[in-house]
Amino acid sequence: ARQTLVSELGLEPGPELQELQQAILGHDEALRGPESPVRRRRRRWVALVATAIGSALVAVALAAFALRDGDAAGSTEVAGEGTVVGIDVESGDVVRRIPAGRTPSALAVGDGALWLVDADARTVLRIVPSSRVIETLATGATPTDIAFGAGSVWVANGQPLPDTQFIGPVATAVARLDPTTRTERTSVGLARKGGSTSNLVDNHLAVSDTALWAIAPDFSVVRADATTGAITATNRSVPAAAVATGDAGVWVLGVDGSVVRLDERSGRIVRRAAIEPGSVGSIAVGPNAAWVTTPGDGKLWRIGAGRAESVGATQLTPGIGDLAVTPTAIWVANPIAGTLTTVDPETTRVIREVDLDGIPRSLAIDGDTLWATLIPDPVSMVAPQQLGVATFGPNVCEPPVAGKTGPADFLITSDLPLQGGFRASATQMASAIAFALRERDFRAGRFRVAYQSCDDSLARTGLYDEAKCASNARAYGENPDVIGVVGTYNSACAVAAVPELNRSPNGPLAMVSPLNTFVGLTRHGPGIDPSLPAALYPTGVRNFARVFPTDDLEGAALALLARDRGRTRVFVLDDGDPGYGALQATTFETAARRVGLDVAGRASWNPRAAEFTELARRVAGSGASAVFVGGLIDTNAGRVLRDLRGRLPESVDLLGPAGLAPVPILMKKSKGAARGMYLSLSGLLPASLPPAAARWSARFETTQPGALDPASVYAAQATEVLLDAIARSDGTRRSVLEELFRTRVVDGLLGNFRFDANGDISESPMTIVQIRRGGSDNRVQSIEGALFVRVVRPSPDLVTTED
């Protein structure tokens, strides 16, 4: 539109309009005041008074207004808003689009209304499509899931749990709401038992005719009477990831790939099946089968409801998530690709695919209409003339910052989790990126650059969101003004983002990561999916580099430590999680054998077990002088350490990866058994950083209200590497990538280093600490109570496998 106005009609927005847009992007306080007449006319607010009646769930923000509604051809939705779309189940056409808050996620249908959770606003929305009315209900907790059934609305209320690694909201209760008055009638408590904790939230509620089925924080499945709310059964025999009900009964999907049918009265297992182990997604139930998605490999599984074994899979696209069942079709959402796929339930053939131009999160069937919540992709906005580059709207990104020497030539973005448990660290990292740019006057050689900090997390979970990571990356790649990305914080986010950046229409876009440690982003390794890393680079061009070591070297560093301490015989334990615990154990075992250690045994523990005395007895009987414990505090590693210390001599070393932090929580959960344990941490602690980092930190600390997070140094170094590559380039994305892989840093914030052909940094220091006491600092990865032992620089050859 801007190109048409300027190039064809000769119309350019005037200075006043440009200044107004910049003020809006910067949240200028001067713009606050009475609501404008235009805004009042557009929204047509209608006052509504609500009275809260003795309820823990209070409609503190209850408003009704006319929805901006439209059909597929003429929607009046506002860019950057979330929507709920209605799709005709026969034709597959989008027939309705209704604005639905900021980040609509979980969705349910009932009593003539749509009920959904706004993941970032932390509210519940009630939308009546027929009357075009919406209500917003806020709770005293964070709503994480929603369901409708037995004449009621059921809302899972989440809150952070004490003494857990995961500090996002976990559902600890389910509120039953009257759909007419929207007041709470009863609440069902979800207890946590044992040492394992779930950080999953999707598809945790389902309702049959007489009962609510909910997943508790300890992965158990709770059955509650739909009228009284009384818990009548609890099933802990499957580590539940999702639950669903339908004509074929009550079904549960386990994180271990188990799929079970429960008796509707007793909650006992009456049918058991299994799918291939790996990532699990959602489950839905049809007339004669349960249907399951596995996002990692993109498979749709059918598990027959009959007695005979009947399990089959249909290959779809990786990234698939929620699904819904009609008599004639299975609807599957792919939030990574932004599509809906329809599959014939009889032949399992794909019928059609619908591109939704956004992130579909949750599906629900209402008669002839399939409803889907849709989170918008980041919106590119034409910047004022003085900024010079197109930036992104406030639905995902913060206002851009730039120098004062003239319009920018390019935009650099960062992609970090600015909500939830990593917020404090990520926010300081974003400040460090901006600080590094300011010290260079927002210049990369002859080029002027602007910077925009963008968010890849959700408030509902307090974690990065893979679909949002992919969506952000698509938007960066499609904006020709973006020349590079600093990010991500979480490796799984990078796995989702890198392919999108790699296939962007303007050429592969460079990403430099400050903290990503997953080996498969750059090379093969023990336990890594053999399709990685090739699958992340569909063009065949590498566009990812990192200034942080890979986490497989944590195990290698501990193997070297054990050897140097004379521990010649080791036992390897893991929590069975192929994505972390088992992967860390495999890299340790590989390195241990290569440095000449005798591996006495390998075993996995069940995170939901009450005790591990038999496992400890086995380890003690092996004669091992060191034991590697690969897992997390939230997978019950604390109890494992307690039982090991109860059986092993004091001379036996306990070894573990960075996933066992925060140290204070580990000490508390292990009842002090972690004392004396050695942990390996990727990277350097502040005291070990080179002199250049100390000088930079002294300057940066004056701009920060709190203590310096060492992650900020890595963020600044990633920024400087990217700026140097841009400065040496000819201004094209291809040239920036070429220069990035030619990087040679001398006396940098991380010392002297380069990147290899894979994008890995040549210097891979691992810091070894020993736990001496507990503490009170429960922040993510806090090592309060641990003392520095040494820095180890293991060779990648200790863990690398052949291509």
Side-chain angles (χ1 to χ4, degrees):
R2 182 179 188 274
Q3 184 177 8
T4 301
L5 288 171
V6 176
S7 302
E8 298 182 17
L9 302 179
L11 299 177
E12 177 75 11
E16 294 84 3
L17 185 56
Q18 294 177 16
E19 292 172 4
L20 175 61
Q21 185 189 30
Q22 187 64 17
I24 293 171
L25 291 175
H27 301 287
D28 193 331
E29 290 292 325
L31 296 179
R32 295 187 180 275
E35 187 175 13
S36 70
V38 173
R39 181 175 172 85
R40 285 198 298 270
R41 286 196 299 271
R42 182 169 62 85
R43 298 187 71 169
R44 289 181 290 170
W45 286 95
V46 179
L48 182 67
V49 178
T51 303
I53 306 175
S55 170
L57 182 80
V58 184
V60 298
L62 185 60
F65 55 90
L67 288 173
R68 298 178 302 285
D69 192 10
D71 58 22
S75 173
T76 57
E77 66 193 72
V78 176
E81 286 187 337
T83 57
V84 58
V85 297
I87 299 170
D88 183 272
V89 296
E90 294 298 325
S91 66
D93 295 333
V94 176
V95 294
R96 297 292 297 275
R97 290 183 182 270
I98 305 173
R102 179 181 171 187
T103 312
S105 52
L107 172 68
V109 176
D111 196 43
L114 309 176
W115 306 83
L116 57 93
V117 172
D118 188 326
D120 283 328
R122 309 185 202 195
T123 57
V124 172
L125 301 181
R126 175 182 182 269
I127 299 173
V128 183
S130 60
S131 63
R132 311 175 76 179
V133 169
I134 184 172
E135 292 177 84
T136 302
L137 295 89
T139 75
T142 298
T144 59
D145 200 5
I146 197 164
F148 191 97
S152 298
V153 184
W154 304 83
V155 180
N157 281 330
Q159 62 183 5
L161 296 177
D163 302 328
T164 62
Q165 286 174 299
F166 176 57
I167 57 178
V170 177
T172 56
V174 181
R176 179 170 70 89
L177 306 183
D178 183 290
T180 303
T181 64
R182 268 75 82 193
T183 54
E184 182 179 318
R185 297 303 186 181
T186 190
S187 180
V188 180
L190 302 177
R192 171 173 168 249
K193 182 179 180 181
S196 63
T197 304
S198 172
N199 62 4
L200 305 174
V201 297
D202 293 321
N203 300 294
H204 273 207
L205 299 181
V207 187
S208 57
D209 291 339
T210 60
L212 163 75
W213 302 85
I215 298 177
D218 61 0
F219 298 94
S220 62
V221 180
V222 171
R223 183 193 188 278
D225 185 272
T227 302
T228 65
I231 295 177
T232 60
T234 300
N235 189 310
R236 291 190 169 88
S237 58
V238 58
V243 61
T245 60
D247 292 343
V250 180
W251 289 77
V252 176
L253 171 63
V255 296
D256 58 354
S258 57
V259 184
V260 301
R261 181 178 178 180
L262 303 182
D263 181 88
E264 296 190 40
R265 291 176 178 260
S266 67
R268 295 176 180 173
I269 295 177
V270 295
R271 169 89 162 84
R272 183 183 288 273
I275 59 177
E276 293 176 2
S279 66
V280 294
S282 182
I283 186 169
V285 180
N288 51 25
W291 299 83
V292 169
T293 56
T294 50
D297 56 14
K299 289 182 179 179
L300 171 66
W301 295 82
R302 182 189 185 277
I303 299 92
R307 295 184 178 226
E309 182 74 17
S310 176
V311 178
T314 300
Q315 184 65 58
L316 300 180
T317 306
I320 55 177
D322 202 25
L323 68 166
V325 179
T326 70
T328 59
I330 312 299
W331 291 82
V332 185
N334 191 320
I336 301 292
T339 59
L340 283 176
T341 301
T342 311
V343 176
D344 186 297
E346 297 299 326
T347 66
T348 67
R349 293 181 178 177
V350 174
I351 301 172
R352 68 173 67 87
E353 187 170 271
V354 181
D355 191 341
L356 292 179
D357 193 25
I359 305 173
R361 300 311 302 253
S362 184
L363 307 178
I365 299 291
D366 186 20
D368 295 332
T369 303
L370 170 80
W371 293 99
T373 56
L374 195 65
I375 300 174
D377 288 325
V379 180
S380 291
M381 304 177 67
V382 177
Q385 188 173 2
Q386 60 267 30
L387 188 58
V389 292
T391 59
F392 302 99
N395 64 316
V396 170
C397 302
E398 296 179 345
V401 292
K404 299 179 180 179
T405 58
D409 300 300
F410 298 112
L411 178 69
I412 291 174
T413 63
S414 64
D415 199 82
L416 301 168
L418 303 178
Q419 305 177 85
F422 298 103
R423 180 179 62 245
S425 179
T427 300
Q428 193 179 103
M429 290 171 67
S431 296
I433 295 168
F435 185 79
L437 283 160
R438 287 193 183 94
E439 289 207 314
R440 295 196 180 198
D441 197 23
F442 288 89
R443 299 190 72 92
R446 68 186 186 279
F447 301 112
R448 294 183 295 265
V449 295
Y451 165 61
Q452 195 164 23
S453 168
C454 299
D455 181 24
D456 58 35
S457 63
L458 295 177
R460 179 174 67 126
T461 62
L463 295 171
Y464 70 92
D465 180 76
E466 292 182 35
K468 200 170 180 181
C469 299
S471 174
N472 287 4
R474 278 196 299 272
Y476 305 149
E478 291 169 0
N479 183 343
D481 290 336
V482 178
I483 196 66
V485 182
V486 179
T488 58
Y489 191 106
N490 304 95
S491 292
C493 185
V495 169
V498 169
E500 301 296 337
L501 297 174
N502 191 261
R503 64 167 67 95
S504 62
N506 299 294
L509 181 59
M511 172 180 275
V512 184
S513 173
L515 293 179
N516 291 159
T517 61
F518 175 55
V519 179
L521 284 164
T522 53
R523 57 181 170 82
H524 294 302
I528 301 297
D529 184 335
S531 70
L532 299 177
L536 304 180
Y537 305 96
T539 67
V541 177
R542 291 292 182 111
N543 62 307
F544 174 86
R546 50 180 154 199
V547 298
F548 207 67
T550 52
D551 57 11
D552 57 341
L553 297 178
E554 292 179 12
L558 289 170
L560 291 171
L561 175 73
R563 184 197 64 184
D564 294 347
R565 287 178 51 78
R567 309 305 192 235
T568 59
R569 189 172 173 83
V570 298
F571 201 101
V572 185
L573 295 175
D574 67 73
D575 60 4
D577 178 9
Y580 185 75
L583 190 60
Q584 286 288 337
T586 297
T587 58
F588 172 81
E589 181 179 359
T590 301
R593 295 185 187 279
R594 290 181 180 177
V595 300
L597 302 183
D598 178 20
V599 178
R602 171 84 182 260
S604 298
W605 74 80
N606 179 359
R608 296 176 300 119
E611 47 84 23
F612 304 98
T613 52
E614 186 57 39
L615 179 63
R617 187 179 296 112
R618 177 183 169 187
V619 174
S622 72
S625 53
V627 182
F628 180 86
V629 182
L632 302 169
I633 299 172
D634 285 352
T635 56
N636 218 0
R639 181 68 200 213
V640 172
L641 294 177
R642 286 171 56 190
D643 289 344
L644 286 175
R645 274 294 174 221
R647 287 280 177 178
L648 299 176
E650 286 293 327
S651 60
V652 174
D653 285 347
L654 297 180
L655 316 170
L660 294 180
V663 167
I665 294 181
L666 181 64
M667 283 290 286
K668 186 172 183 178
K669 300 295 284 187
S670 69
K671 296 190 181 302
R675 185 175 288 105
M677 185 176 194
Y678 293 94
L679 298 184
S680 180
L681 315 173
S682 294
L684 296 171
L685 299 180
S688 304
L689 288 167
R695 294 192 297 269
W696 181 89
S697 299
R699 299 193 302 274
F700 178 61
E701 279 183 309
T702 62
T703 70
Q704 299 301 299
L708 178 71
D709 188 324
S712 298
V713 176
Y714 284 91
Q717 181 68 87
T719 305
E720 293 190 354
V721 163
L722 180 59
L723 289 175
D724 289 341
I726 296 169
R728 296 191 303 268
S729 77
D730 62 10
T732 64
R733 289 183 176 181
R734 182 181 184 87
S735 179
V736 170
L737 280 177
E738 291 173 351
E739 295 301 330
L740 179 63
F741 280 84
R742 292 191 183 114
T743 291
R744 297 291 187 276
V745 174
V746 177
D747 193 27
L749 300 183
L750 301 179
N752 303 331
F753 66 89
R754 59 178 177 80
F755 293 127
D756 65 18
N758 296 321
D760 286 329
I761 191 171
S762 58
E763 283 293 302
S764 298
M766 298 286 133
T767 300
I768 306 294
V769 298
Q770 185 180 33
I771 299 174
R772 296 293 182 85
R773 58 178 177 81
S776 58
D777 183 1
N778 292 339
R779 290 176 299 172
V780 176
Q781 295 187 335
S782 166
I783 57 170
E784 181 190 11
L787 296 181
F788 171 82
V789 175
R790 69 172 71 167
V791 172
V792 182
R793 287 179 166 82
S795 168
D797 293 339
L798 292 177
V799 289
T800 301
T801 57
E802 295 295 328
D803 290 349

